[in-house]
Amino acid sequence: MKSLCHNPVSSLLKLAALAIFVVLGAGATATAQQTARIQTSSLDHLAVKATQTVDVNLDESLMQLASKVFNSKDPDEARAKQLVTGLKGIYVKIFEFEKEGDYSPADLESIRSQLRGTSWSKIVNVNSKKEGAVEVYLMSQGSQVLGLAVVAAGVKEIVVVNILGNIDLEKLSDLEGQFGIPDLEIGKPKRKN
Amino acid sequence: MKKSMRNVGDDYLWDQTGEPDPEIQELEQLLGTLRCQPRPLEIPAALQPGRPRFVLSDFKPRLAIAATIVLIVLGAGLWLKLERRDTPGVAQTETKPSASDNSNRAAATVTEDVADEVPNAEKDRLEEPVTPPFKHINKTHRNRLHQTSVAVNANSKRTLDPKTQELAPNELKEAQAGKAQLMLALRVASAKLNLALKKAQGTNNGNLIHNQHKVG
């Protein structure tokens, strides 16, 4: 405060520098959120061949609105609400086909090319003849997760999931089997009957 | 008078020395009642230190400012509330997701070929539990993407948060549809993530076992 009184010009410059720093930081975060968004419009032409198409586009405002109808007394809904709290958007696209070969692997190239950037890192890559390929990408900045992308190319199905924001993978994984979400018993030991 | 003055002398008149003059003494007595009589300062009891003072008077300007601010805030809040109540149509048009707007607002579109009555096993498993919201899947012809499905939440009859009760009916409907879409998205993401993790873990375990066999 003393320096502010003594040298107002330098203090103003410092304040201006601080303001610029804050604005740039906010801008960088916003840019990172933007880059975590994957453009899936290149897949729209597959809708002609698909027998079923699911397209979910939830931006932050609608997620906030939706989170208001979660029942906080219900532990499952409270958990889901908590998971959604830090998110900026969820985008899902699913195409299901009648038979094999209705889509080509090249169709997914436009998606994969966006994920090849330095900001994304592939954390899981699975190839299965029976269930196809599943790739999980994560965009992070330090310890903070900025986005998640899942690209699953099944034999008769394409699934692209894009989640923006700080998603907790463990909590997301735990959601299966709750809240009307069927537990596919993936990754759990099978019960002996 | 002149005679006595002359006889007595002027000393008593000027400095009260010498022989006193009775006339002057008489005048002194008459006028003496009017002379200055010094007395100690009398402070009113209300202002004496050590006694509790009326504190409110010190804060009167601040109280007036605070009361003005509170009144302005209350007035603005009331005005906004009345404004919102008077124009629900505007809020509806702003928040209602249109079928053509597919860019940012939510649009969960599920189109299905009518001829396709036998979905694959995974689809069945995924669709089974969330029956009410997704029973309203649009069964339309192909290429009819981006038709917003009207999702009805089965859990809407349950007790809702107080925040929910604040929502307008239209907003509530939109929020419930959004919730259904949100759950669909989370379900798909969770299932695929778990599938990938399971496969990855299975692969790693297999390699581990294989390596152990080699070493053994």
Side-chain angles (χ1 to χ4, degrees), chain B residues 37 39 47 61 68 71 87 106 121 123 137 143 170 196:
Chain B
Q37 292 177 348
R39 54 181 180 177
L47 296 176
T68 308
L71 280 174
T87 56
K123 192 177 101 184
I137 290 170
N143 306 334
N170 194 40

Side-chain angles (χ1 to χ4, degrees), chain A residues 37 44 47-59 61-63 65-66 68-74 77 80-81 83-84 90 92 94 96 98 124 126 128 131 134 136 150 152 157 159 161 163 169 172-176 179-182 184 186-187, chain B residues 102-113 116 120 122-123 125-127 129-130 137 142-143 145-146 155 158-161 163-164 167 171-172 174-176 178-179 181-201:
Chain A
R37 175 86 169 91
D44 285 347
V48 181
K49 300 174 186 174
T51 55
Q52 182 170 327
T53 305
V54 178
D55 193 359
V56 176
N57 294 296
L58 284 168
D59 61 356
S61 60
L62 198 77
M63 279 204 299
L65 182 66
K68 287 182 182 174
V69 293
F70 280 95
N71 185 5
S72 55
K73 290 176 184 174
D74 186 333
E77 292 197 13
K81 187 179 178 181
L83 179 69
V84 168
I90 298 183
V92 174
I94 302 174
E96 288 188 5
E98 197 172 0
V124 179
V126 174
S128 165
E131 292 174 276
V134 183
V136 181
V150 179
E157 182 189 57
V159 178
V161 178
I163 298 177
L169 292 182
L172 178 62
S173 174
D174 286 345
L175 264 187
E176 195 179 34
F179 210 172
I181 300 172
L184 303 177
I186 293 168
Chain B
N102 193 35
S103 57
N104 288 324
R105 301 297 296 170
T109 310
V110 181
T111 57
E112 190 175 1
D113 193 347
D116 182 24
N120 60 38
E122 188 179 350
K123 192 177 101 184
R125 279 184 297 172
L126 287 172
E127 285 186 350
V130 197
I137 290 170
R142 286 179 183 175
N143 306 334
L145 275 175
H146 315 309
N155 299 329
R158 285 192 277 175
T159 310
L160 297 172
D161 285 343
K163 282 181 185 175
T164 309
L167 293 173
E171 283 180 335
L172 186 64
E174 191 184 357
Q176 285 172 348
K179 181 184 169 185
Q181 294 164 22
L182 190 59
M183 293 322 300
L184 170 68
L186 288 176
R187 182 187 61 171
V188 171
S190 181
K192 291 299 170 188
L193 184 65
N194 279 330
L195 176 68
L197 290 175
K198 176 208 167 189
K199 292 286 179 188
Q201 285 169 2

Side-chain angles (χ1 to χ4, degrees), chain A residues 83-104:
Chain A
L83 179 69
V84 168
T85 300
L87 301 186
K88 306 287 181 191
I90 298 183
Y91 305 91
V92 174
K93 207 154 229 182
I94 302 174
F95 296 98
E96 288 188 5
F97 304 97
E98 197 172 0
K99 57 183 188 295
E100 280 185 48
D102 275 354
Y103 78 94
S104 71

Side-chain angles (χ1 to χ4, degrees), chain A:
Chain A
M1 196 64 196
K2 197 176 176 182
S3 62
L4 189 74
C5 298
H6 281 296
N7 197 347
V9 177
S10 70
S11 301
L12 279 174
L13 284 173
K14 282 177 187 173
L15 282 174
L18 184 67
I20 289 168
F21 180 74
V22 169
V23 168
L24 285 177
T29 310
T31 309
Q33 296 287 359
Q34 286 295 323
T35 52
R37 175 86 169 91
I38 300 170
Q39 296 301 323
T40 55
S41 55
S42 59
L43 298 175
D44 285 347
H45 71 279
L46 293 172
V48 181
K49 300 174 186 174
T51 55
Q52 182 170 327
T53 305
V54 178
D55 193 359
V56 176
N57 294 296
L58 284 168
D59 61 356
E60 189 177 8
S61 60
L62 198 77
M63 279 204 299
Q64 284 177 355
L65 182 66
S67 67
K68 287 182 182 174
V69 293
F70 280 95
N71 185 5
S72 55
K73 290 176 184 174
D74 186 333
D76 292 340
E77 292 197 13
R79 202 174 301 157
K81 187 179 178 181
Q82 194 186 2
L83 179 69
V84 168
T85 300
L87 301 186
K88 306 287 181 191
I90 298 183
Y91 305 91
V92 174
K93 207 154 229 182
I94 302 174
F95 296 98
E96 288 188 5
F97 304 97
E98 197 172 0
K99 57 183 188 295
E100 280 185 48
D102 275 354
Y103 78 94
S104 71
D107 291 325
L108 282 170
E109 191 53 35
S110 61
I111 305 294
R112 289 197 177 102
S113 64
Q114 296 176 57
L115 298 167
R116 274 195 208 106
T118 51
S119 51
W120 287 100
S121 55
K122 193 191 284 187
I123 57 169
V124 179
N125 183 22
V126 174
N127 280 300
S128 165
K129 281 185 181 178
K130 189 181 173 185
E131 292 174 276
V134 183
E135 297 160 37
V136 181
Y137 297 84
L138 204 65
M139 180 185 275
S140 56
Q141 196 171 43
S143 60
Q144 190 185 8
V145 176
L146 299 175
L148 172 79
V150 179
V151 180
V155 180
K156 296 179 186 176
E157 182 189 57
I158 290 177
V159 178
V160 178
V161 178
N162 186 199
I163 298 177
L164 311 186
N166 195 2
I167 182 80
D168 189 331
L169 292 182
E170 197 174 345
K171 284 181 186 171
L172 178 62
S173 174
D174 286 345
L175 264 187
E176 195 179 34
Q178 294 169 2
F179 210 172
I181 300 172
D183 190 354
L184 303 177
E185 298 196 347
I186 293 168
K188 295 174 184 175
K190 289 182 180 176
R191 293 176 188 171
K192 290 179 181 177
N193 293 327

Side-chain angles (χ1 to χ4, degrees), chain B residues 2-215:
Chain B
K2 283 182 181 176
K3 188 180 177 182
S4 63
M5 289 282 285
R6 282 176 200 150
N7 293 336
V8 171
D10 294 335
D11 290 343
Y12 182 79
L13 182 63
W14 297 116
D15 55 8
Q16 290 188 334
T17 57
E19 189 180 349
D21 188 348
E23 287 183 5
I24 291 174
Q25 281 182 332
E26 190 180 352
L27 281 171
E28 277 179 343
Q29 284 173 359
L30 282 171
L31 296 173
T33 55
L34 301 173
R35 70 185 170 191
C36 173
Q37 292 177 348
R39 54 181 180 177
L41 178 67
E42 290 178 2
I43 301 171
L47 296 176
Q48 280 183 3
R51 287 196 169 198
R53 296 190 311 173
F54 187 55
V55 184
L56 198 63
S57 60
D58 293 346
F59 295 100
K60 266 183 183 174
R62 295 177 191 178
L63 277 174
I65 292 168
T68 308
I69 291 169
V70 167
L71 280 174
I72 289 170
V73 169
L74 283 175
L78 191 67
W79 182 75
L80 283 173
K81 194 173 181 179
L82 288 173
E83 186 79 7
R84 191 175 292 177
R85 189 180 293 173
D86 288 344
T87 56
V90 176
Q92 285 172 13
T93 50
E94 283 174 359
T95 53
K96 188 177 178 182
S98 62
S100 58
D101 182 15
N102 193 35
S103 57
N104 288 324
R105 301 297 296 170
T109 310
V110 181
T111 57
E112 190 175 1
D113 193 347
V114 180
D116 182 24
E117 296 294 336
V118 190
N120 60 38
E122 188 179 350
K123 192 177 101 184
D124 283 343
R125 279 184 297 172
L126 287 172
E127 285 186 350
E128 209 172 47
V130 197
T131 43
F134 304 107
K135 281 293 182 187
H136 294 265
I137 290 170
N138 293 329
K139 291 199 171 186
T140 59
H141 297 294
R142 286 179 183 175
N143 306 334
R144 286 196 181 178
L145 275 175
H146 315 309
Q147 283 189 354
T148 307
S149 62
V150 181
V152 179
N153 191 359
N155 299 329
S156 60
K157 289 180 181 176
R158 285 192 277 175
T159 310
L160 297 172
D161 285 343
K163 282 181 185 175
T164 309
Q165 293 167 1
E166 292 173 5
L167 293 173
N170 194 40
E171 283 180 335
L172 186 64
K173 196 176 177 182
E174 191 184 357
Q176 285 172 348
K179 181 184 169 185
Q181 294 164 22
L182 190 59
M183 293 322 300
L184 170 68
L186 288 176
R187 182 187 61 171
V188 171
S190 181
K192 291 299 170 188
L193 184 65
N194 279 330
L195 176 68
L197 290 175
K198 176 208 167 189
K199 292 286 179 188
Q201 285 169 2
T203 309
N204 288 339
N205 291 340
N207 288 340
L208 187 65
I209 293 164
H210 187 64
N211 292 339
Q212 282 174 348
H213 179 68
K214 272 185 177 176
V215 170

